[in-house]
Amino acid sequence: MTEYTINLPGSQMPDAWYNIAADFPSAVPPPLHPGTKEPLAPSDLGAIFPDNLIEQEMSTERWISIPGEVMDAYKLWRPTPLRRAYRLEKALDTPAKIFYKNESVSPSGSHKLNTAVPQAYYNKEAGVNTLTTETGAGQWGTALSIACSMFDMHCTVYMVKVSFEQKPYRRSLIQTFGAEIVPSPSDTTDFGKAYLAKHPDSPGALGIAISEAVEVAVKSGGAIRYSLGSVLNHVMLHQTIIGEEARLQMESIDEYPDVVIGCCGGGSNLAGLSFPYARDKFNGKDITLLAVEPSACPTLTRGVYGYDFGDTGELTPLLIQYTLGHDFIPPSIHSGGLRYHGVASQIAHMVHHGYMEARALQQTKVFEAGMLFARCEGIVPAPESCHAILGAVDEAKRCRESGEAKTILFNLSGHGHFDMSSYESYLSGKLTDYDLEESLIQEATKDILQYQG
Amino acid sequence: MTEYTINLPGSQMPDAWYNIAADFPSAVPPPLHPGTKEPLAPSDLGAIFPDNLIEQEMSTERWISIPGEVMDAYKLWRPTPLRRAYRLEKALDTPAKIFYKNESVSPSGSHKLNTAVPQAYYNKEAGVNTLTTETGAGQWGTALSIACSMFDMHCTVYMVKVSFEQKPYRRSLIQTFGAEIVPSPSDTTDFGKAYLAKHPDSPGALGIAISEAVEVAVKSGGAIRYSLGSVLNHVMLHQTIIGEEARLQMESIDEYPDVVIGCCGGGSNLAGLSFPYARDKFNGKDITLLAVEPSACPTLTRGVYGYDFGDTGELTPLLIQYTLGHDFIPPSIHSGGLRYHGVASQIAHMVHHGYMEARALQQTKVFEAGMLFARCEGIVPAPESCHAILGAVDEAKRCRESGEAKTILFNLSGHGHFDMSSYESYLSGKLTDYDLEESLIQEATKDILQYQG
């Protein structure tokens, strides 16, 4: 019998990230300048990001070496375990084999640290000593705080005010790693001050927090840079360490997945696990790559494919994506990390060209799957990760019906130790499911520049 | 360079627990009947525990086989990683090597599950389908809830009312695994009803919760049994899986510890790591075994060696131990798991006969060490575990002064994800240190039956 845990020795950890841009059968339509609508020049990003990260963002090199200091930091928690979910298989009475990559073991509790570490490193290399960012649910703020602490950098996290007030433990976790937290909107930025003048009692929103964090970077003259936890190409790139490890681990037990599943908000954990398998798919391999998203924010399944802003404030370049419109405010579901109006261009490209499938799921069923997983596997999953779990459970149930012994691999992107209030809502029967009206989506996306590529 | 993480393959996990009772140079003075003051007969425990566990409690067999179903359950998270704390060593600029056994990876977040699983298993084997227990901070209630869920058993956790109200996330975690939680004092037991009649607004206490849980077991006529998370011999026994794994892991990299450190409340995580090394010490090996406890509850360093009750309500047998008196209420420090008036007989025996040293530490320094560890190693430790960390840090600093390259091994017994309010207190400068007055201890221990064995 295969062991429950398939560990990869630290000495065998992959030393390069996989850049899917090298292998796309057709190129991803480029980001556009929000003013000119012309393709973006690297220098257009120079006010926010350092040159080395901009170079990665634009690169089409297939393999990008992981610097020694990043490797060293990764080894604090990587390679992460691959696990065979024997108890879950048994509970489902399925002939399918279920594997999951356990990213919850990271110091930040999720995959986010995989990109926070290199982003901190490259900024430090470029002479930057302070990073700013925003955080909503808190996963990303935690990760960047830890990464900055590793490289002796200062970190300022603009935390959506309502989260700052409602999540004191997440706040303490971020502070434990030394970051400064500013509840947003704040009086530390012009944007924040102006916003507060109009809305003194605002609970804040991710869009406002982004604007504050970006403003601090732009106005610093280069001393301070901004860092983003998803959506961009270099973030997807850094996350491929997940899938590269998984490939080696699956190979070590002579397994190869028929289905690879990840939950999708901005898309980074999904990209991290699935892109290393996508290159086989481009070469004709029969493998299903599946994105799972919440029905309350069905970007990939019901959004429009076109150019849209990444943020509410229309500060970012226009990115090709599936979008519900950058003004769209999804219902308050418990998967904060999946409440994003758009998606990474590379993920959108995969779906648009049929290399990846997408499915939307209701949160009650999602938490039900998370509870089953917790009881079988002993890990309380993050609400986001519960979507991937339900994707895997549904697939395993189909196998039970059909008798197929498929090999399923999903990404357990994080644990839910700081999301227990969501479980409390589930346990007390307070979760609501959402089916968005078609007219609502049409209204929210009516101004999107649709793309026929 | 040794890897950061020394994993043991699941196939090499030890398949027997080590029973230190077989190797003690002198026997531990036996528990006494609270009424007769005569040595306890096995049948005296029959109203609370099943026979198979009572047999283990009394056993002097050196090795006790771990049943296959327990092995199978252990493999959900065991073997746990042994880690070399390279970043902590660097931060301390010490020639010492620091290793830690990472028990925080368990589904319950601590070592407690190591005994919860076999306790559930043996009860199930004995035909018991329901276990009751008490929980204060919540670690033990979580562990037993998970263990019962693994064996399809019902679990009722009497949770100290103030914890029930102040720790909703811990509560949700326990409920996620299916246990029923009753805030104690409750109206579900005679003891609880009587107590509430006198103290309707009582915030509860561990002693009360124990009495309720025990009452339910005693009155059930055998259908329901009680389960305890520390102190007893069979609990120490089950925890030795920690040290047996550590031995194999250290051997695999040709290392052997000069110092083995654990924090000590009831003593189970300390026993788990150190007892497998004690047998070498009994044979003359030069190795230091160190218990670290809080200055606010200095059982081993300032308590009296003698016979005392395990609980406040005087329901348990009299156990040989170091004790501050069973009426002693320690100050409200943040390490709930170390606020125990007594200690396991086997640990007391080790200290009394000079096989183990003990040290008491103040909580401000303890949290400072925990913060350093978190920033270096990426794991936020439980407040209890921070004591072991400070023990290791102090030892490593002494090595820096003396130039000795000692090998230090400590037990990271749990993570602090559900203790972030304690970190918040530390970060906001609200922690208090305590030096107990000698007269207070003398008063609390004046009725203890001292023992000159």
Side-chain angles (χ1 to χ4, degrees):
Chain A
M1 189 170 111
T2 306
E3 299 206 353
Y4 280 80
T5 302
I6 299 103
N7 284 310
L8 191 70
S11 57
Q12 290 174 33
M13 190 171 80
D15 58 3
W17 293 298
Y18 169 61
N19 183 5
I20 198 171
D23 289 329
F24 274 131
S26 64
V28 177
L32 304 181
H33 190 285
T36 65
K37 305 285 194 301
E38 290 299 313
L40 209 67
S43 57
D44 294 332
L45 295 168
I48 309 181
F49 301 117
D51 289 347
N52 46 17
L53 280 175
I54 296 172
E55 193 184 318
Q56 279 190 355
E57 182 67 20
M58 306 283 187
S59 171
T60 53
E61 290 286 316
R62 181 170 293 111
W63 297 102
I64 298 193
S65 288
I66 305 176
E69 287 187 60
V70 174
M71 289 288 282
D72 210 42
Y74 272 178
K75 284 185 180 169
L76 257 188
W77 77 100
R78 307 207 69 86
T80 60
L82 177 76
R83 305 235 344 141
R84 173 85 183 263
Y86 279 114
R87 284 175 179 261
L88 181 61
E89 290 172 19
K90 196 176 162 198
L92 295 170
D93 189 24
T94 178
K97 296 177 187 172
I98 306 177
F99 292 90
Y100 60 95
K101 186 70 169 157
N102 185 2
E103 291 296 304
S104 79
V105 300
S106 117
S108 71
S110 82
H111 68 291
K112 290 285 183 190
L113 196 56
N114 296 330
T115 185
V117 165
Q119 287 196 49
Y121 167 80
Y122 285 114
N123 271 284
K124 183 88 174 184
E125 280 291 290
V128 178
N129 277 310
T130 300
L131 291 179
T132 63
T133 197
E134 74 289 334
T135 202
Q139 286 280 20
W140 172 241
T142 306
L144 197 65
S145 171
I146 294 174
C148 285
S149 128
M150 286 177 172
F151 292 101
D152 276 328
M153 298 170 74
H154 187 75
C155 180
T156 305
V157 178
Y158 286 86
M159 188 169 186
V160 175
K161 194 178 275 174
V162 62
S163 291
F164 180 89
E165 283 159 4
Q166 288 179 352
K167 295 196 163 191
Y169 299 158
R170 179 57 83 174
R171 199 172 70 205
S172 301
L173 181 64
I174 295 173
Q175 287 169 333
T176 296
F177 290 98
E180 180 189 356
I181 308 189
V182 182
S184 167
S186 78
D187 60 4
T188 67
T189 64
D190 291 344
F191 183 86
K193 278 182 215 160
Y195 198 91
L196 280 174
K198 273 192 255 171
H199 314 278
D201 299 323
S202 165
L206 207 52
I208 302 167
I210 294 178
S211 300
E212 291 205 273
V214 167
E215 179 188 317
V216 170
V218 169
K219 290 195 173 159
S220 73
I224 300 174
R225 297 297 186 174
Y226 169 73
S227 184
L228 189 67
S230 192
V231 176
L232 298 177
N233 297 343
H234 67 273
V235 179
M236 306 296 126
L237 175 78
H238 300 153
Q239 294 294 354
T240 60
I241 185 76
I242 302 172
E244 293 302 333
E245 283 180 8
R247 284 183 69 110
L248 295 177
Q249 287 162 315
M250 294 290 277
E251 276 167 32
S252 77
I253 50 167
D254 290 322
E255 294 284 357
Y256 190 92
D258 296 299
V259 191
V260 176
I261 304 172
C263 64
C264 188
S268 74
N269 94 77
L270 169 66
L273 183 63
S274 68
F275 283 6
Y277 285 101
R279 63 176 181 269
D280 293 349
K281 190 167 179 85
F282 296 150
N283 288 324
K285 182 91 182 177
D286 181 19
I287 179 173
T288 301
L289 309 180
L290 176 62
V292 185
E293 62 183 9
S295 296
C297 189
T299 314
L300 291 167
T301 48
R302 297 178 66 190
V304 166
Y305 186 64
Y307 273 103
D308 195 8
F309 293 99
D311 68 326
T312 319
E314 306 191 352
L315 293 170
T316 71
L318 289 161
L319 298 171
I320 189 77
Q321 59 189 302
Y322 283 91
T323 176
L324 296 167
H326 61 273
D327 290 329
F328 177 75
I329 305 290
S332 283
I333 54 166
H334 284 271
S335 297
L338 306 184
R339 288 181 70 238
Y340 185 61
H341 71 275
V343 71
S345 293
Q346 291 183 334
I347 293 285
H349 193 65
M350 290 285 288
V351 172
H352 184 64
H353 289 281
Y355 295 112
M356 185 177 272
E357 296 173 21
R359 201 171 294 157
L361 301 172
Q362 294 287 8
Q363 68 175 349
T364 304
K365 289 273 182 198
V366 159
F367 271 87
E368 194 179 300
M371 292 283 294
L372 175 68
F373 181 83
R375 291 188 187 183
C376 290
E377 298 298 313
I379 302 169
V380 178
E384 292 81 3
S385 311
C386 292
H387 288 76
I389 293 168
L390 179 54
V393 164
D394 283 346
E395 196 69 32
K397 284 183 178 170
R398 268 189 293 275
C399 286
R400 185 175 61 200
E401 303 309 315
S402 70
E404 280 179 290
K406 281 191 182 176
T407 300
I408 301 166
L409 170 64
F410 73 88
N411 199 2
L412 185 75
S413 55
H415 65 61
H417 295 173
F418 295 90
D419 303 287
M420 292 313 298
S421 59
S422 304
Y423 280 87
E424 204 175 1
S425 297
Y426 172 80
L427 288 162
S428 57
K430 288 185 192 142
L431 284 193
T432 311
D433 285 336
Y434 297 93
D435 269 312
L436 301 180
E437 296 274 345
E438 188 56 35
S439 58
L440 185 78
I441 294 177
Q442 280 177 7
E443 173 64 24
T445 56
K446 68 178 163 27
D447 296 328
I448 301 301
L449 182 62
Q450 297 198 24
Y451 188 84
Q452 314 295 341
Chain B
M1 190 170 112
T2 307
E3 300 208 353
Y4 280 80
T5 302
I6 299 101
N7 285 312
L8 191 69
S11 56
Q12 291 173 32
M13 190 170 81
D15 58 4
W17 294 296
Y18 169 61
N19 183 6
I20 198 170
D23 288 330
F24 274 130
S26 64
V28 177
L32 305 181
H33 191 283
T36 65
K37 304 284 193 301
E38 290 298 314
L40 210 66
S43 58
D44 293 333
L45 294 169
I48 310 181
F49 301 116
D51 289 345
N52 45 16
L53 281 176
I54 296 172
E55 192 184 319
Q56 280 191 353
E57 182 67 19
M58 306 285 188
S59 171
T60 53
E61 290 287 316
R62 181 170 292 112
W63 297 103
I64 298 192
S65 287
I66 306 176
E69 286 186 61
V70 174
M71 290 287 284
D72 208 42
Y74 272 177
K75 285 187 178 167
L76 257 187
W77 78 100
R78 303 206 73 86
T80 61
L82 178 76
R83 306 241 337 149
R84 172 85 183 263
Y86 279 115
R87 285 176 178 259
L88 181 61
E89 290 172 19
K90 196 176 162 197
L92 295 170
D93 190 25
T94 178
K97 295 176 188 171
I98 307 176
F99 292 89
Y100 59 95
K101 187 70 170 156
N102 186 3
E103 291 295 305
S104 78
V105 301
S106 114
S108 72
S110 83
H111 67 291
K112 290 286 183 191
L113 196 57
N114 297 330
T115 186
V117 165
Q119 287 195 48
Y121 167 80
Y122 285 115
N123 272 286
K124 182 88 176 183
E125 280 292 288
V128 177
N129 277 310
T130 300
L131 290 180
T132 63
T133 197
E134 73 291 336
T135 202
Q139 286 279 20
W140 172 242
T142 307
L144 196 65
S145 170
I146 294 174
C148 285
S149 127
M150 286 176 171
F151 293 100
D152 277 330
M153 297 169 74
H154 187 75
C155 180
T156 305
V157 178
Y158 286 86
M159 189 169 187
V160 175
K161 195 180 273 174
V162 62
S163 292
F164 180 89
E165 282 159 4
Q166 288 178 353
K167 295 195 161 190
Y169 299 158
R170 177 60 82 174
R171 199 172 68 204
S172 301
L173 181 63
I174 294 172
Q175 287 169 332
T176 296
F177 290 98
E180 181 190 356
I181 308 188
V182 182
S184 166
S186 77
D187 60 4
T188 67
T189 64
D190 290 344
F191 182 86
K193 277 182 215 159
Y195 198 92
L196 279 174
K198 274 192 255 172
H199 314 277
D201 299 322
S202 166
L206 207 52
I208 303 167
I210 293 177
S211 301
E212 292 204 271
V214 168
E215 179 187 319
V216 170
V218 169
K219 291 197 174 157
S220 73
I224 300 175
R225 296 297 184 174
Y226 170 72
S227 184
L228 189 65
S230 192
V231 176
L232 298 177
N233 297 343
H234 67 273
V235 179
M236 306 295 125
L237 175 79
H238 300 153
Q239 293 294 353
T240 60
I241 185 76
I242 303 173
E244 293 302 332
E245 283 180 6
R247 285 183 68 110
L248 295 177
Q249 288 162 313
M250 293 292 276
E251 276 167 32
S252 76
I253 50 167
D254 289 322
E255 295 283 358
Y256 190 92
D258 297 299
V259 192
V260 176
I261 304 172
C263 63
C264 188
S268 74
N269 94 79
L270 168 66
L273 183 63
S274 68
F275 282 6
Y277 285 102
R279 64 176 180 268
D280 294 349
K281 191 167 178 84
F282 297 149
N283 288 325
K285 182 92 183 175
D286 182 19
I287 179 172
T288 300
L289 309 179
L290 177 62
V292 186
E293 62 183 9
S295 296
C297 189
T299 314
L300 292 168
T301 50
R302 298 177 66 189
V304 166
Y305 186 66
Y307 272 103
D308 195 9
F309 293 100
D311 69 326
T312 318
E314 305 191 354
L315 293 171
T316 71
L318 288 160
L319 299 171
I320 189 77
Q321 58 189 304
Y322 283 90
T323 176
L324 296 167
H326 61 273
D327 289 329
F328 177 75
I329 306 289
S332 283
I333 54 166
H334 284 270
S335 297
L338 306 184
R339 288 181 71 237
Y340 184 62
H341 72 275
V343 71
S345 293
Q346 292 183 333
I347 293 283
H349 193 65
M350 290 285 288
V351 172
H352 184 64
H353 290 281
Y355 295 112
M356 185 176 272
E357 296 173 20
R359 202 170 291 158
L361 301 172
Q362 295 287 8
Q363 68 175 349
T364 305
K365 289 274 182 196
V366 160
F367 271 87
E368 195 179 301
M371 293 282 294
L372 175 68
F373 182 83
R375 291 187 188 184
C376 289
E377 298 299 314
I379 302 169
V380 178
E384 291 82 4
S385 312
C386 291
H387 288 76
I389 293 169
L390 179 54
V393 164
D394 283 346
E395 197 69 32
K397 284 182 177 171
R398 271 190 290 277
C399 286
R400 184 174 62 201
E401 303 309 316
S402 69
E404 281 179 290
K406 282 191 184 175
T407 300
I408 301 165
L409 170 63
F410 73 87
N411 199 3
L412 185 75
S413 55
H415 65 61
H417 295 173
F418 294 90
D419 303 286
M420 292 313 297
S421 59
S422 304
Y423 279 87
E424 202 175 6
S425 297
Y426 172 81
L427 287 163
S428 57
K430 288 186 194 142
L431 283 194
T432 311
D433 285 336
Y434 298 92
D435 268 313
L436 301 181
E437 296 276 347
E438 189 55 35
S439 58
L440 185 77
I441 294 178
Q442 280 177 7
E443 173 64 23
T445 56
K446 68 177 164 29
D447 296 329
I448 301 301
L449 181 63
Q450 296 198 26
Y451 188 82
Q452 314 297 340

